[in-house]
Amino acid sequence: MKKRIIIDTDPGVDDALTFLLALASPEIQLEALTTVQGNVTLEKATRNALSVLEMAHAAHIPVARGCSHPLVKSPHASGEAVHGSSGMGHTDLPDPTSSIVETHAIDYLIERFLAEPKQISLFAIGPLTNVALAIRKEPRIVEAIQELVIMGGAIRSGGNVSPLAEFNIHEDPHAAHVVFHSGIPITLIPLDATYKCLLTSADVERLNKIDSPIARFVRDATAQYMEFYLKYEGFKGCALHDPLTLATIIAPELLTLEEHYVSVDISGGVSTGKTYADFMKVAKKPANMKVALDVKGREFVELFVERMERLMSLRGA
Ligand code: BDR
Ligand code: CA
């Protein structure tokens, strides 16, 4: 049976690649997207969500617009250095012709999960603002979400937006705190694993042996992303942060998952947004999530490329 998922997202290049991977995967039924500010403004994130779905012939998938600001802090806006000013790198997708659903993302999530308790999983690949507010508005959503898979955090790894913190968690640490301690069954996919999944220019060239809008999109979307990584982090390629969340469905054997008590610093100091696991069990608190501390990265990237090839053949290239 297909796993039914809703993705809460701030697209973002790797967010867009996650939608494509979901559409390419026979194990997954993508039911909806909900948008949140993060990599780019809410307006751009929502436009990108609609445009990418249209490009992939999936405009029937509903998109609900969510929160334009984090709960407490100001938006960071550093994501545009990585993802381009539009959020979609060097791509030039036409304006979408489809529209968002009328309902705000918070209410949309509440309605969908309460209508079918424990039937749908939520994949959160942006700041956790929408998810936290849905929990606060309707606490029964905690019991209704089958599973919550989050791209976020840096457990043993350093941060990518501050020396200690990862972007999605740092962008709304208070929301992350609410979500982490909500009681929802959580799997966290932090930088410890995602930095091992590097899409290379050779992978992009392989895809572009087929003349397809999807291959061109992957090439144009990732070009700036790769330039950023080369300039600031010193390696060739780009990390498939958000797509790796889907490995929990399509290739769980590639992930090394451990159960831990994990929290996030919201003290306001230099480590704000830092996620930490109680490895030594000194807090004597029960585990609140599974955490991916390692992954067979190259195998996941190969799978990603194969799935993009599959999507191109499904869409008649
Ligand atoms: C996360 O931050 C964003 O820039 C990416 O889309 C991903 O969700 C990685 O830290
Ligand atoms: Ca993202």
Side-chain angles (χ1 to χ4, degrees):
M1 200 164 70
K2 282 176 184 271
K3 184 104 171 167
R4 298 169 63 196
I5 69 167
I6 293 175
I7 301 180
D8 186 72
T9 173
D10 62 335
V13 172
D14 58 328
D15 301 75
L17 300 182
T18 310
F19 314 156
L20 298 182
L21 182 57
L23 294 169
S25 295
E27 305 90 342
I28 295 174
Q29 184 164 315
L30 178 57
E31 301 251 334
L33 301 179
T34 51
T35 60
V36 65
Q37 81 78 33
N39 287 318
V40 286
T41 62
L42 179 66
E43 192 187 342
K44 289 180 185 176
T46 308
R47 178 208 184 268
N48 293 340
L50 293 167
S51 295
V52 173
L53 290 179
E54 277 186 25
M55 189 262 306
H57 304 292
H60 59 282
I61 292 174
V63 176
R65 185 169 54 198
C67 293
S68 59
H69 284 75
L71 297 187
V72 178
K73 73 184 280 285
S74 303
H76 193 277
S78 74
E80 297 196 2
V82 188
H83 301 265
S85 63
S86 72
M88 290 290 102
H90 294 158
T91 62
D92 190 18
L93 291 179
D95 282 331
T97 54
S98 49
S99 348
I100 54 170
V101 298
E102 296 284 311
T103 319
H104 190 282
I106 295 170
D107 297 308
Y108 187 82
L109 290 170
I110 291 168
E111 282 170 19
R112 289 296 307 266
F113 284 104
L114 259 57
E116 297 181 272
K118 297 214 188 298
Q119 299 302 307
I120 306 174
S121 290
L122 180 58
F123 280 63
I125 58 174
L128 289 161
T129 320
N130 289 338
V131 186
L133 286 176
I135 292 166
R136 284 291 183 259
K137 185 167 185 191
E138 178 45 273
R140 286 181 300 161
I141 198 172
V142 166
E143 299 297 326
I145 295 175
Q146 189 180 55
E147 188 188 2
L148 171 60
V149 182
I150 299 169
M151 190 284 126
I155 302 295
R156 291 194 175 105
S157 161
N160 63 351
V161 68
S162 82
L164 291 165
E166 181 277 331
F167 178 83
N168 287 340
I169 303 300
H170 187 266
E171 187 60 13
D172 198 340
H174 305 89
H177 199 276
V178 169
V179 174
F180 283 8
H181 300 293
S182 64
I184 299 174
I186 293 174
T187 299
L188 189 74
I189 309 291
L191 298 183
D192 308 64
T194 64
Y195 265 103
K196 294 183 175 161
C197 300
L198 300 182
L199 186 78
T200 65
S201 37
D203 296 322
V204 173
E205 276 165 31
R206 170 176 154 190
L207 283 177
N208 277 274
K209 292 210 168 96
I210 307 168
D211 182 28
S212 149
I214 288 166
R216 285 194 292 279
F217 176 81
V218 174
R219 181 193 65 201
D220 297 344
T222 55
Q224 179 166 349
Y225 205 29
M226 289 193 187
E227 284 160 24
F228 174 88
Y229 277 114
L230 189 58
K231 187 167 169 195
Y232 293 101
E233 304 196 11
F235 60 80
K236 289 185 175 171
C238 61
L240 295 177
H241 300 292
D242 293 339
L244 186 59
T245 56
L246 298 180
T248 58
I249 304 174
I250 65 175
E253 69 283 1
L254 300 182
L255 296 166
T256 303
L257 294 171
E258 289 183 13
E259 289 197 9
H260 288 292
Y261 175 78
V262 175
S263 193
V264 52
D265 182 24
I266 50 170
S267 64
V270 67
S271 58
T272 293
K274 169 68 187 163
T275 46
Y276 53 93
D278 183 12
F279 288 108
M280 306 295 276
K281 317 244 180 293
V282 289
K284 306 214 175 338
K285 292 189 173 159
N288 57 344
M289 62 182 74
K290 290 184 225 158
V291 191
L293 292 172
D294 203 356
V295 63
K296 290 178 180 143
R298 189 61 217 166
E299 287 179 42
F300 177 72
V301 176
E302 290 282 339
L303 179 62
F304 175 84
V305 173
E306 282 161 23
R307 292 291 168 104
M308 288 305 103
E309 288 169 341
R310 180 175 192 273
L311 186 61
M312 292 190 270
S313 68
L314 285 174
R315 299 290 185 263

